[in-house]
Amino acid sequence: AQEETSTHYLLTKSMDGRVFLWDVAEAKRIHSYRIPQSNCNHCQLDVTVDGKYFVAGNSSGAVYVFETFEASDDEGKSAGDRKPLCRLEPYKMATAVHSCAISDDHQNVISTMGDGFLFRYKYYKAPPAEDKDKDEDKDEDKE
């Protein structure tokens, strides 16, 4: 059975580093995110195909990975601006990020900045605690 995917969400980004997740069907804002040190930045953002993650860069050369929905969303908790999962930045370069992208497997992030510089970061998200416990149980069963 194929799951029905919802396409009524929209991410918007302003030049002051604010990103908002909107529920278009309900015509309301669901979450807000703040990209640190983002002053008058034209950086594009990118979202994974499954909609779970997005990336956006700032004026200082850093790229941030955010989770669009978190486990607490199911419980109806909303606590202001969402925090980034991680910060990725090049060594000794601090110019504005022009664009960035994240791979659909959530493992690679690419950013462009300066006069044609392209950076690739390997990003690994640790599996949830539940998955780690299941893997450990499987290993114990084998012994």
Side-chain angles (χ1 to χ4, degrees):
Q2 184 177 357
E3 288 185 34
E4 185 177 321
T5 58
S6 175
T7 58
H8 61 272
Y9 296 106
L10 173 71
L11 272 175
T12 60
K13 180 187 171 292
S14 63
M15 287 179 45
D16 68 351
R18 301 291 307 226
V19 177
F20 298 106
L21 177 63
W22 301 88
D23 184 331
V24 178
E26 298 288 324
K28 69 177 188 174
R29 187 177 76 196
I30 300 173
H31 297 303
S32 64
Y33 311 84
R34 180 174 298 281
I35 302 164
Q37 300 172 346
S38 189
N39 304 324
C40 194
N41 188 4
H42 296 275
C43 178
Q44 299 175 352
L45 59 82
D46 186 41
V47 183
T48 56
V49 169
D50 60 13
K52 291 182 180 180
Y53 301 94
F54 75 92
V55 292
N58 71 6
S59 304
S60 302
V63 176
Y64 293 87
V65 179
F66 290 88
E67 196 169 21
T68 53
F69 295 99
E70 298 173 3
S72 63
D73 291 342
D74 295 334
E75 300 166 16
K77 297 178 184 175
S78 182
D81 288 341
R82 297 297 175 113
K83 306 293 183 206
L85 294 174
C86 76
R87 174 188 173 130
L88 307 167
E89 62 186 328
Y91 181 68
K92 292 188 176 182
M93 186 163 188
T95 63
V97 176
H98 298 297
S99 63
C100 52
I102 185 169
S103 62
D104 290 334
D105 63 0
H106 317 148
Q107 304 252 335
N108 296 286
V109 174
I110 295 175
S111 70
T112 61
M113 56 197 312
D115 294 327
F117 290 97
L118 178 73
F119 293 92
R120 177 180 168 260
Y121 306 95
K122 198 72 168 159
Y123 169 70
Y124 293 105
K125 183 174 184 297
E130 296 172 357
D131 292 345
K132 286 181 183 176
D133 294 340
K134 289 178 185 175
D135 290 340
E136 288 173 6
D137 291 343
K138 288 179 184 176
D139 291 339
E140 289 174 4
D141 292 340
K142 290 179 183 177
E143 294 176 3

